[in-house]
Structures are given as C-alpha cells and as structure tokens.
Amino acid sequence: MSGRTHTKRFRIRRHSVREARLHVETVLAEWRLGGLADTASLIASELATNVVNHAKGTGEFFDLSLRRRPAVLVLEVADSFQWGMPEQRKPGPDDTSGRGLLIVDALSESWGVRPRETGKTVWVHLPIQAANRARTGVTW
C-alpha cells in the first residue's frame, strides 16, 4: 500500500479548515493509517488556518496532498502566496496566535517550506511506524 498519493483542492475560506481536517481523517482511514489521523488532521488544520489567515487576496485555492511512502506519511499544503515564507515564532504568553508551527514542529518528525513558481508548499513528515503502534497498542 505504499506509494499512494491523494491531493484535494480547497477554497481559501474559514470553513475549508474543517473540511481539510475531515478529508485527512477520511483518507487515512481508507489507507488504514487511522493511528495517524488525530495528529495529521491537527497539522492539516494548523497549516490550512495559516493559509486562510495569511494568503488572502493571492488566489482562491490551496491544495492539500497526502503521500504514503514506505516509512513516512507526507502531508503538504500549497498556496500561491509568495511574499512571505512561514517561520516558526515564539509567541508570548498573552499572544492569541502564532503557535501553529510550534504545534507542527512538536508533532512531526520533520517539516519545512519550499518555494514554488508561484507560492510555496509547507511539507510535513509523520512516521508510519507510530501509527502502527497506536493502532495495535504495541509500545517499544
């Protein structure tokens, strides 16, 4: 089952954050990676929220891709906003935003940003072995 890829396009609207999260949960259930669903859907939610909050007026859509590789799930969110690459911040205790990439960093094996011809793609790697342990209850 490795090597599967699924991409879906969403409108840059607030309600798309929820749709993206549910889409990730559905695809991972179909791929029998339900053990990663909570983590991956939270990460997708954070990245989609960043697009909605920061990519206004740069296009109508963002793409969410899931790729299953032999040992890793790759989650990507691509948009057409090219004037600023996301950077992890350290918000103060009274800040009401700015924690999304901290969450992504804490939950993922690795993540990064790569520019595209128009815009950027934020990618995240999640180890599949963790999903298998969660599903079977096996701990190492």
Side-chain angles (χ1 to χ4, degrees):
M1 225 190 271
S2 66
R4 287 186 168 194
T5 300
H6 192 283
T7 301
K8 185 170 180 178
R9 180 164 278 186
F10 296 89
R11 288 198 172 277
I12 298 178
R13 305 282 187 268
R14 289 232 173 262
H15 66 85
S16 295
V17 173
R18 180 177 185 274
E19 291 174 6
R21 188 172 54 246
L22 294 174
H23 176 69
V24 167
E25 292 170 0
T26 300
V27 170
L28 294 183
E30 289 173 9
W31 289 357
R32 298 179 187 218
L33 291 176
L36 281 177
D38 288 344
T39 299
S41 64
L42 176 56
I43 289 171
S45 178
E46 292 298 332
L47 297 179
T49 298
N50 283 350
V51 172
V52 168
N53 288 339
H54 301 293
K56 294 179 180 177
T58 63
E60 294 185 43
F61 302 98
F62 68 93
D63 294 323
L64 186 148
S65 298
L66 296 165
R67 274 195 223 89
R68 182 178 177 155
R69 299 294 182 242
V72 69
L73 175 72
V74 180
L75 186 152
E76 297 180 333
V77 173
D79 65 61
S80 60
F81 187 65
Q82 58 192 359
W83 295 280
M85 295 295 173
E87 293 180 14
Q88 188 173 328
R89 299 181 354 188
K90 293 193 179 197
D94 295 330
D95 290 340
T96 59
S97 65
R99 291 173 179 79
L101 291 178
L102 287 171
I103 293 169
V104 170
D105 187 62
L107 296 176
S108 66
E109 179 178 76
S110 60
W111 70 276
V113 183
R114 69 175 178 274
R116 301 180 327 150
E117 186 174 320
T118 303
K120 67 188 165 308
T121 299
V122 180
W123 56 267
V124 177
H125 289 178
L126 297 171
I128 288 178
Q129 184 178 18
N132 293 335
R133 283 196 307 266
R135 185 170 41 99
T136 63
V138 174
T139 58
W140 303 99

